[in-house]
Amino acid sequence: MTLETLNEKYPWPEVIPAVPADRHCWFNRKEHMRVFGALLGGCPSHRTTYLEIGTWTGGGSTAWVLTHTKMDVICVDTWEGGKEHYKKEEYKQRLPSLYDTFCRNLWSERSRITPVRENSREGLVIVKEHGVSPDFIYIDGSHEEDDVYMDISDCLRLFPGAIIFGDDFVNGSGQLTSIAAAIERCHKDELFSPKELARIGRCWWLTRNLEW
């Protein structure tokens, strides 16, 4: 099986959804641009596939990768939102049409995108079962500590050659978050060493597998 068969399992709608474009996202800080530019902007040509856990409207990291690289993009998301999205009306009101909004926003690039509409645990296994090995994995799904821990450990186990990075190590006030706590658990469980962790502001990444 291949990326082509994964696309067949998760096809796009036959027509563009009749919803307004809405590129709401949290991907708008200088550190995002610096980290994505450094990791993906100058990557070798043999690295061709980017996977992200958590996509939302597709207006943030997804759009950046599509604009600045030629890589195929796999989006793993339920498009049902997480616990934090039900606590704020601004986010909650987007949830009923979130998947349609994603499709509407990225319709012109749909030939490069595979929307794996699953939770991250199931989605990563399905990607693996289809023989696809992403070169980059961006973790920005559920922010619950246990979920983040499992996302990181699953990525390391299933795709040991991938470059893994993520968001929200700290919040807007600079305080450590549940993501930082999950990463600390990974250290304690020796999934990777503290020396392998690098960070700029909210963004973090593992230095293993960097070749340039």
Side-chain angles (χ1 to χ4, degrees):
M1 291 189 284
T2 62
L3 183 58
E4 183 177 351
T5 59
L6 187 65
N7 288 329
E8 292 172 356
K9 182 176 177 64
Y10 297 99
W12 281 67
E14 293 186 2
V15 298
I16 187 171
V19 296
D22 175 11
R23 294 184 176 273
H24 175 270
C25 67
W26 299 271
F27 185 91
N28 54 7
R29 296 177 174 83
K30 291 182 179 179
E31 58 258 44
H32 292 125
M33 309 307 170
R34 288 180 62 189
V35 171
F36 271 70
L39 295 180
L40 283 74
C43 67
S45 58
H46 69 270
R47 290 192 176 269
T48 61
T49 307
Y50 164 89
L51 181 150
E52 63 180 19
I53 298 173
T55 295
W56 196 241
T57 68
S61 53
T62 323
W64 190 98
V65 174
L66 292 168
T67 300
H68 293 86
T69 80
K70 296 181 180 180
M71 288 189 285
D72 292 314
V73 174
I74 301 171
C75 298
V76 177
D77 200 320
T78 61
W79 282 279
E80 296 175 356
K83 291 181 180 180
E84 66 271 23
H85 300 131
Y86 287 87
K87 297 177 182 178
K88 192 171 183 179
E89 188 60 32
E90 176 189 2
Y91 307 151
K92 185 178 179 180
Q93 66 183 2
R94 288 181 162 92
L95 298 180
S97 60
L98 187 59
Y99 181 69
D100 284 345
T101 300
F102 159 80
C103 293
R104 164 68 175 80
N105 287 341
L106 301 178
W107 188 257
S108 63
E109 297 285 356
R110 63 192 183 280
S111 64
R112 293 174 57 192
I113 308 168
T114 306
V116 177
R117 202 170 180 181
E118 307 282 357
N119 64 51
S120 57
R121 295 222 72 185
E122 295 176 356
L124 291 171
V125 170
I126 289 170
V127 170
K128 178 71 173 182
E129 289 175 343
H130 279 74
V132 179
S133 295
D135 300 293
F136 297 89
I137 302 177
Y138 182 57
I139 298 176
D140 192 24
S142 168
H143 283 33
E144 299 295 311
E145 181 181 332
D146 289 344
D147 293 339
V148 178
Y149 176 88
M150 291 309 305
D151 284 345
I152 296 173
S153 60
D154 285 347
C155 288
L156 289 169
R157 175 175 56 84
L158 294 170
F159 307 109
I163 294 170
I164 298 172
F165 62 129
D167 197 14
D168 295 315
F169 190 91
V170 295
N171 62 22
S173 301
Q175 299 172 320
L176 296 177
T177 66
S178 55
I179 285 81
I183 289 174
E184 179 61 25
R185 283 175 58 187
C186 291
H187 291 164
K188 291 180 178 178
D189 290 348
E190 299 183 347
L191 300 186
F192 55 84
S193 71
K195 292 182 179 180
E196 291 183 90
L197 179 70
R199 183 169 69 89
I200 296 177
R202 303 166 68 100
C203 299
W204 60 271
W205 68 96
L206 299 184
T207 58
R208 65 173 61 183
N209 300 323
L210 286 175
E211 301 170 352
W212 63 98

